[in-house]
């Protein structure tokens, strides 16, 4: 229980922890952020890392001069692009075996497959805004053998929109006194909003009668 409480505290006060890390480790923090974002997008077993809230907090710290906005944009877009690329190739090479061997949650795969059926290749872009689906979308694209050149276009577009959008939002909104004072509430709102689509999809799946799959 104490571990869960500590994790929640880190998520809700990520700005304080990040500032402490910056004071202690300096530029190495950029490498840590790179690895976190790469792991969330590139490792299909790590879909719960704090991508959205982390990007927003990094933007707010860049807005007050504590971090470099250009370096953040370059490094984190690169991490997101490389993560999805690795995830694609893992899915293409080993995806069926990983799910067949019960190493991964089959429901996550099914949810992402339905998302693909509804939105097609745009799923790689749209999924950037959706936790869990964000991690599984490139993996499923690999399983489905989407042409890699087509995947790269969606990958680059989604990375710039997701990383640039949240960094930019943090950079500009972080200058407002209310946001500075109530940053923990803003982070809660970001987490809740980002989880809503996945929550609705789960609820729809639970309410769907057996033998009648959701569209």
């Amino acid at each position: 229980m104490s571990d869960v409480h500590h994790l929640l505290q880190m998520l809700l006060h990520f700005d304080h922890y990040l500032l402490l890390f910056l004071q202690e480790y300096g530029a190495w923090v950029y490498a840590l952020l790179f690895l976190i974002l790469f792991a969330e997008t590139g490792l299909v077993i790590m879909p719960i890392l704090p991508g959205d809230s982390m990007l927003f907090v990094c933007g707010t710290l860049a807005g007050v001069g504590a971090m470099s906005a250009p370096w953040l944009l370059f490094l984190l877009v690169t991490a997101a692009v490389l993560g999805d690329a690795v995830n694609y190739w893992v899915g293409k090479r080993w995806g069926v075996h990983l799910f067949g061997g019960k190493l991964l949650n089959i429901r996550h795969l099914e949810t992402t497959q339905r998302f693909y059926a509804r939105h097609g290749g745009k799923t790689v872009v749209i999924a950037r805004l959706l936790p869990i689906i964000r991690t599984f979308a490139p993996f499923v694209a690999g399983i489905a053998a989407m042409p890699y050149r087509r995947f790269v276009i969606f990958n680059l577009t989604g990375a710039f929109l997701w990383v640039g959008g949240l960094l930019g939002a943090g950079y500009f909104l972080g200058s407002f006194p209310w946001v500075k004072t109530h940053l923990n509430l803003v982070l809660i709102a970001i987490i809740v909003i980002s989880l809503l689509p996945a929550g609705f999809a789960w609820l729809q799946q639970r309410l769907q009668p057996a033998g009648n799959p959701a569209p």
Side-chain angles (χ1 to χ4, degrees), residues 113-129:
Q113 285 176 325
R114 286 196 298 272
F115 205 82
Y116 260 107
R118 181 174 300 176
H119 300 288
K122 296 190 298 294
T123 299
V124 179
V125 177
I126 301 171
R128 290 286 190 182
L129 307 177

Side-chain angles (χ1 to χ4, degrees), residues 36-44 46 79-85 87 128 134-135 138 162:
I36 290 174
L37 207 66
F38 175 83
E40 192 204 0
T41 56
L43 303 180
V44 77
M46 299 292 288
V81 170
L82 291 178
D84 264 26
N87 215 341
R128 290 286 190 182
R134 167 166 61 236
T135 305
W162 178 47

